[in-house]
Amino acid sequence: MVKSSDVVLILVAIIFPPAAAAFITGCSCDLLINICLTILGYFPGHLHAFWLIYKRMQAEERYGHGGFIYVGNGTYEPLYNQPHTAPTTYGAMNAA
């Protein structure tokens, strides 16, 4: 599902692709790649920015809003691998 933040990212990517890449990935190798692609030709920079937006939208659908972290190369991992549960011995008394 496309959210308003995704629409804003798409508009920013249309105007200036490296800004959209910076919003998504921060200061990373993907930002440098997008800057180089935009310098080489405006269209390749657009494609890369749209690809990054698409991968982010996939991660939001898979892990939920804010439940993922960007690890590079268009890859996202869940923030929490397993749900937090209390230890099994919590509140138990040792009866020997």
Side-chain angles (χ1 to χ4, degrees), residues 83-95:
H84 179 69
T85 58
T88 56
T89 58
Y90 180 76
M93 297 180 64
N94 293 335

Side-chain angles (χ1 to χ4, degrees), residues 40-79:
L40 289 174
Y42 206 58
F43 187 68
H46 277 104
L47 288 177
H48 184 253
F50 292 142
W51 178 74
L52 288 172
I53 293 170
Y54 172 71
K55 296 300 267 184
R56 181 176 180 269
M57 288 171 57
Q58 278 186 333
E60 280 186 356
E61 288 178 4
R62 182 176 297 144
Y63 304 121
H65 180 67
F68 55 88
I69 187 166
Y70 184 74
V71 293
N73 197 22
T75 309
Y76 291 88
E77 289 182 355
L79 233 115

